Amino acid sequence: MWMHTRLMAKLNNKIKGLLSLCLAVIVLGLSIRLKPLDEIKGQSHKEFNAGDFALDFWNRSLPRVLDTAADMEKLLALLESDKKAAIETHGKSVGIGAQYSFLVKGSGTIEHIASKGVLLSLAPSHKDTVMIRTRNFFSNAIRDASGVVNVSDFPSTMEFNEISGEINRLVQQQVIADHLDLFEPGNPLEFVGAFELDENTRKAALIEIIPIRLNSPLIEDR
Amino acid sequence: MATVRKTVLRFQSLFALLVMIVIMSFLSDKFLTVDNGWNVMRQISVNVCISMGMTLVILTGGIDLSVGSILAFSGAFAAGLLKNGIEIPALNLFIGFTFVGALVAGIAAGSALGTINGLAITRFKVPPFVATLAMLTMARGLTMLWTGGFPITGLGETFAFIGTGWFAGIPMPVWITAILVILMVVLTRRTPFGRHIYAIGGNEDAAFLSGIRVDRIKTKVYILAGALSAVGGLIVTSRLDSAQPNAGMGFELDSIAAVVIGGTSLSGGKGSVLGTVQGALIIGVLNNSLVLLNVSPFWQQVIKGLVILLAVITDRLSSKK
């Protein structure tokens, strides 16, 4: 009897051990995927260069989405009347949060040259004024409004943020530098750009647009 | 009369919660709405998770100050593995982690840190306050090392579902918390392990002399507290869709507050998991109410502190009687 009980206890322990091992193997099988490291490196681990990425984005990805830019004057009206609809229709957000970015286009007349940019009275009604930023901007607006750069494609937010820094540098070098002499009050200006808006902002502040394309009828007269 | 007093004392936190709800429903029309209800439930789910572990620790007469840091490390560990995997150049091997793998690894990390707490307290007789204070710093440092001081973002929709998803009309964090509450209630009320926790908190020497393996039970309690903090960490990371290196800072205080307000005695041996859930609800409703009433964040801290002090004084007075 005693021998029988001891045998059963041993058997029970063995069954428990076997079941635990099976469970561990199943969990491990569901948990990890093994791959040769050189295969992974070959696929995606090319040393990340934010400058190269931004240039490729600027020259190839961004132009493809510029056609989707919303008309600035219409968007402002929609933001005033139905902010939720405006955000749902035209806004883009990275992850979760209340910050939305918009890709916009429009035209207007330069009213005033401020320290951070130029104030533009929007055509055709000239009821609304926006700012085209020309100096000291640290915005993610273009990257996020484009909708083509996905945060989950980057191992850290540092790399993700570096892209914006590089894009802003391209804006400064390739967009703003060419038009500096046209920034005079009274001059007409066409733009495509992007701006950020916090969903929770109750009263609309002055919209600050980071330019992607600037065009002036006067540029041909230079 | 004595029965009424006993009943009031037993359900004091529930009464306090009901009084708060009634008062708030008059003061703000936004308070007693379904949306706000889910909002409060979602917000307290993390605190309930870590507070349940804290309850067990306090029931044994200990304290765990490291829950917030363990929460941060577990969340970051899971996020890092899910996002980047592990590279072993010497073996030319890349270990990629699936969603399940990241969850298991996160909980295992929390349990491992809890084990260190438990062993330091039981084997090396370090006072719980000091051992867990050391772990608070260590785990925070490990989180900084693991993340490089930067958030780990973009963890994918499946992972985000834990913190932001809904199932059968109920937010996922609430489901997870509810299941854990049921398990912990069963564990504390219906198992020898639960009874041993109360016995150790009531009188550790007596528990030891009656044959309870005090050190083993205590170690298991700290492991459980670590694992529950890790679950909280996974929910936080999922809700934010990013592992923040400074996540969970100050959570230990909210957790201790929930336990104390819920009627668990800081000297151990008396209290319950359901009481802690009520305590967390009171803190959640209080936070929500102060925000809805537009009270300054500075005053919010003062009021929360006063509520905790009141709860401890009530506990002292009732235990004297």
Side-chain angles (χ1 to χ4, degrees), chain A residues 8 10 17 32-33 43 72 95 120 126 131-132 146 168 213 220:
Chain A
M8 285 303 286
K10 266 190 175 177
I32 59 171
R33 299 281 176 266
Q43 275 173 10
M72 187 70 231
L120 199 69
H126 294 280
M131 175 180 275
I132 305 288
S146 72
N168 293 339
R213 300 273 189 273
E220 287 157 15

Side-chain angles (χ1 to χ4, degrees), chain B residues 147-231:
Chain B
T147 59
F150 291 98
I152 301 169
T153 54
L155 304 171
E157 284 178 13
T158 316
F159 193 80
F161 184 71
I162 304 170
T164 58
W166 291 68
F167 178 69
I170 296 172
M172 277 307 288
V174 179
W175 275 113
I176 295 166
T177 310
I179 290 166
L180 286 174
V181 168
I182 292 167
L183 287 175
M184 296 309 289
V185 168
V186 171
L187 187 80
T188 49
R189 288 189 178 177
R190 300 266 180 253
T191 65
F193 177 70
R195 285 190 287 276
H196 291 168
I197 290 172
Y198 281 94
I200 292 169
N203 188 329
E204 194 171 321
D205 293 336
F208 178 75
L209 291 172
S210 62
I212 294 172
R213 298 163 111 168
V214 174
D215 284 356
R216 184 178 284 196
I217 298 287
K218 274 186 168 182
T219 308
K220 280 183 183 173
V221 163
Y222 281 94
I223 294 172
L224 212 48
L228 287 166
S229 301
V231 174

Side-chain angles (χ1 to χ4, degrees), chain B residues 51-239:
Chain B
S51 299
M52 284 190 293
M54 185 70 84
T55 306
L56 303 188
V57 170
I58 290 179
L59 279 174
T60 63
I63 192 91
D64 189 349
L65 300 178
S66 62
V67 287
S69 298
I70 292 180
L71 173 146
F73 179 70
S74 309
F77 191 63
L81 291 180
L82 183 66
K83 183 89 184 177
N84 306 324
I86 297 176
E87 292 178 4
I88 310 173
L91 300 173
N92 187 31
L93 187 66
F94 173 79
I95 306 173
F97 281 74
T98 62
F99 164 70
V100 176
L103 297 189
V104 171
I107 294 170
S111 307
L113 297 182
T115 308
I116 297 171
N117 275 340
L119 292 177
I121 290 160
T122 56
R123 293 287 163 92
F124 300 101
K125 304 299 173 198
V126 181
F129 187 91
V130 179
T132 57
L133 188 64
M135 180 55 75
L136 176 148
T137 312
M138 266 164 40
R140 185 64 62 189
L142 285 173
T143 312
M144 291 294 174
L145 283 171
W146 180 254
T147 59
F150 291 98
I152 301 169
T153 54
L155 304 171
E157 284 178 13
T158 316
F159 193 80
F161 184 71
I162 304 170
T164 58
W166 291 68
F167 178 69
I170 296 172
M172 277 307 288
V174 179
W175 275 113
I176 295 166
T177 310
I179 290 166
L180 286 174
V181 168
I182 292 167
L183 287 175
M184 296 309 289
V185 168
V186 171
L187 187 80
T188 49
R189 288 189 178 177
R190 300 266 180 253
T191 65
F193 177 70
R195 285 190 287 276
H196 291 168
I197 290 172
Y198 281 94
I200 292 169
N203 188 329
E204 194 171 321
D205 293 336
F208 178 75
L209 291 172
S210 62
I212 294 172
R213 298 163 111 168
V214 174
D215 284 356
R216 184 178 284 196
I217 298 287
K218 274 186 168 182
T219 308
K220 280 183 183 173
V221 163
Y222 281 94
I223 294 172
L224 212 48
L228 287 166
S229 301
V231 174
L234 294 170
I235 294 174
V236 169
T237 307
S238 167
R239 271 190 75 187

